[in-house]
Amino acid sequence: MTKYNIWFFSSLFIALFVSLPIITVFFSFFHETSNYFNLLKNTFLLDYVFNSIIILFFVILVTFSLGVLSAYLVSFYEFPFSNFFSFALILAFAVPGYIYAFSIIAFFENYGTAFSILTYLFGENNNYNSIIPKIDGITGAILAISFSLFPYVYVLTRASFHYQSNNYIEVGKNLGLSAKETFFKIILPSARPAIIAGLALVSMECLSDFGTVSFFSVNTLTTGIYNSWLSFDDLNTANQISFILLLFILLLFSIEIYSRKEARYHQPGRGFKPITKIKLNGKKSIVAVAVCSLILFFSFLFPVSQMIFWTIKFPKYFQDINIINININTLLLVLLASVSIVIISLFINYGSRISKSKILNYLTNFSISGYAIPGVILAVAFITFFSNFSDFFSDNLNIKSTKGIFIGSILGLILAYFIRFFSLSFNGIKSSYEKINNSIDESAYLLGYSKTKTFFKIHIPYLKTNIVLVMLMISLEVIKELPITLILRPFNFETFATQAYIYASQDLLEAAALPSLFLIFWSTVLILLSSRYILSKKN
């Protein structure tokens, strides 16, 4: 077997493995429907679809407004703390939607944080609960998801704005366009591919969300999948609802890929003139600072402050929660997942490079579709496949059940993370690999380097920075991931995400604050480490 065959069959195996959830859900849709699915179809299924679409519509609207407005201000204007806001606005990535949901409930509930603040300021003689607004489930879900996801739009739009040549803006001025007309007729249309790509990512994450809508008791397709499996022990119904959700997700996935093809991320050419920022003074400067400050406050400082408040107010949970053990569990998953996913991504990228096989490229491009699959679908499909796999070998070959190897184990979690985040790693490394000219490889071969030595002595040093960035980004995703970890984790194995969710689902918001705060802390550390690269003007 040639080396090319090794690369080819290895990539084929990975592509098939990553596509297991889609294949499992697809074939499960054609299985005989259960009584529960028939009941659901005649009662609540349309509500699941309607709620999912309503939340999606308003999340797109809010994230577009927040992301584009903040990116425009920090890209085209200079005002006090503009450089600080340029970085700080991405910190919302550190707060998952479900933790934001805890904060909203804790603040606005009866005798919650808002009540405590009003009592402290104005005394205890008034019924403040009557004037504190009550946020319903759908509104709360929209706010929580929007503030946690708008950085997708912000980061991509900001990068697109940076590469818009000042020549375009000068043309607008020469045509007599006002600043407002220049924005809507030149700046915004030029950034359209990046904005659509960001909104497509937001849409996929929104439809995939489980923790936020579950906490607000909003029935969506994701909660329907989870309840079918957990409450009614009906994997077939869970897979059939998954098929409906998967159609929405794959449509958005296609839109994102198309938009990414239209986008341009290359370095500017000779005619490029960097944007000259307009310095704001007086009221305009105050307005810009106020807008960015409000976005930063509501997206990051508000949930963090709420978690700190509960943690300080109820210190007894420091003793009740084994925070050291949860730290070890979380960091163990982060290390195993990030290292294994990056190693395999390097292997596949190098295989594609040296084999130059079109079939291999098609297979690897197909295998990166895993990130479009919601975690709850992936977990249910994972259980379905390995349950059927185990039953087949037990019934036909009298082999002892293998369910325990893949379901309810660390190995199963890492495999599920691999399917979910392989695209993030593969594309991140591929983008840097494409910058290594093939002539460098040919020169190395002429000097007597083997393909393996070329990989370790030339490619790895060049890719080192990007490898670290990819590992940080995977680590951030693993720390925040809830449904996969919640469903597939070993018994009595908790992470910050699962521990916070379990406490909150038991109406113990005070206890959920401490693991939530640690989750935000570690996520912020990862963002701080990677932000200089993400926001670099060269990237």
Side-chain angles (χ1 to χ4, degrees), residues 222-524:
T222 49
T223 58
I225 294 166
Y226 185 80
N227 291 333
S228 298
W229 172 74
L230 189 67
S231 302
F232 296 92
D233 195 25
D234 192 340
L235 272 177
N236 191 38
T237 295
N239 281 307
Q240 299 211 340
I241 302 175
S242 298
F243 184 83
I244 299 171
L245 179 56
L246 201 56
L247 292 179
F248 284 105
I249 296 293
L250 292 178
L251 174 62
L252 294 167
F253 181 57
S254 302
I255 293 173
E256 192 274 335
I257 290 178
Y258 176 78
S259 299
R260 186 150 32 92
K261 286 181 179 178
E262 297 296 320
R264 295 291 180 266
Y265 302 107
H266 52 70
Q267 298 295 331
R270 290 183 180 179
F272 177 82
K273 291 181 64 176
I275 293 172
T276 303
K277 288 189 177 184
I278 301 171
K279 188 171 183 178
L280 298 179
N281 297 303
K283 292 182 180 179
K284 291 182 179 180
S285 174
I286 294 173
V287 170
V289 172
V291 170
C292 291
S293 297
L294 286 173
I295 295 175
L296 175 62
F297 174 78
F298 285 112
S299 64
F300 181 72
L301 297 179
F302 167 71
V304 171
S305 300
Q306 180 61 65
M307 295 302 107
I308 293 174
F309 174 78
W310 280 120
T311 302
I312 295 175
K313 189 174 181 179
F314 297 94
K316 66 176 184 177
Y317 292 111
F318 275 101
Q319 298 176 348
D320 296 343
I321 300 173
N322 191 343
I323 205 68
I324 295 177
N325 192 44
I326 298 176
N327 264 289
I328 293 173
N329 291 346
T330 303
L331 297 180
L332 174 66
L333 290 179
V334 163
L335 180 64
L336 292 176
S338 59
V339 170
S340 59
I341 295 172
V342 165
I343 288 175
I344 295 176
S345 298
L346 283 167
F347 178 85
I348 299 302
N349 269 289
Y350 185 60
S352 299
R353 182 181 179 87
I354 66 172
S355 66
K356 296 181 175 62
S357 168
K358 290 184 178 180
I359 297 176
L360 184 55
N361 286 331
Y362 291 140
L363 289 172
T364 51
N365 286 332
F366 176 71
S367 69
I368 66 175
S369 62
Y371 93 92
I373 304 171
V376 66
I377 291 182
L378 196 154
V380 171
F382 197 86
I383 291 173
T384 302
F385 175 81
F386 282 107
S387 295
N388 294 336
F389 178 84
S390 177
D391 293 343
F392 173 81
F393 281 96
S394 298
D395 296 340
N396 295 281
L397 301 176
N398 294 322
I399 296 177
K400 188 178 178 181
S401 175
T402 58
K403 292 181 184 178
I405 300 176
F406 301 103
I407 301 173
S409 67
I410 298 293
L411 175 61
L413 266 179
I414 300 303
L415 291 176
Y417 290 150
F418 172 77
I419 296 173
R420 183 79 167 88
F421 304 124
F422 174 66
S423 168
L424 179 63
S425 177
F426 179 86
N427 282 331
I429 293 173
K430 182 181 179 181
S431 64
S432 285
Y433 238 130
E434 290 175 344
K435 297 176 183 177
I436 304 177
N437 198 301
N438 287 321
S439 61
I440 295 177
D441 294 20
E442 294 168 1
S443 299
Y445 300 152
L446 290 174
L447 292 173
Y449 278 46
S450 65
K451 288 183 171 61
T452 302
K453 191 174 181 180
T454 301
F455 175 69
F456 284 104
K457 296 291 186 179
I458 297 177
H459 293 177
I460 292 296
Y462 184 87
L463 298 170
K464 181 172 61 176
T465 301
N466 210 46
I467 290 172
V468 173
L469 174 67
V470 168
M471 290 183 67
L472 291 172
M473 296 179 72
I474 293 173
S475 301
L476 179 62
E477 293 291 343
V478 170
I479 283 178
K480 297 193 296 181
E481 175 60 42
L482 177 62
I484 291 177
T485 313
L486 189 67
I487 295 173
L488 296 177
R489 75 192 192 284
F491 177 73
N492 206 27
F493 183 93
E494 305 298 347
T495 64
F496 296 125
T498 61
Q499 188 68 76
Y501 176 80
I502 290 171
Y503 276 133
S505 63
Q506 296 171 350
D507 203 25
L508 294 172
L509 291 177
E510 304 89 349
L514 183 60
S516 297
L517 201 57
F518 268 92
L519 188 154
I520 294 172
F521 168 76
W522 283 115
S523 298
T524 303

Side-chain angles (χ1 to χ4, degrees), residues 214-229:
S214 174
F215 186 70
F216 279 114
S217 299
V218 178
N219 289 323
T220 63
L221 289 169
T222 49
T223 58
I225 294 166
Y226 185 80
N227 291 333
S228 298
W229 172 74

Side-chain angles (χ1 to χ4, degrees), residues 108 118 156 323 389 444:
F108 291 104
L118 292 174
L156 291 175
I323 205 68
F389 178 84

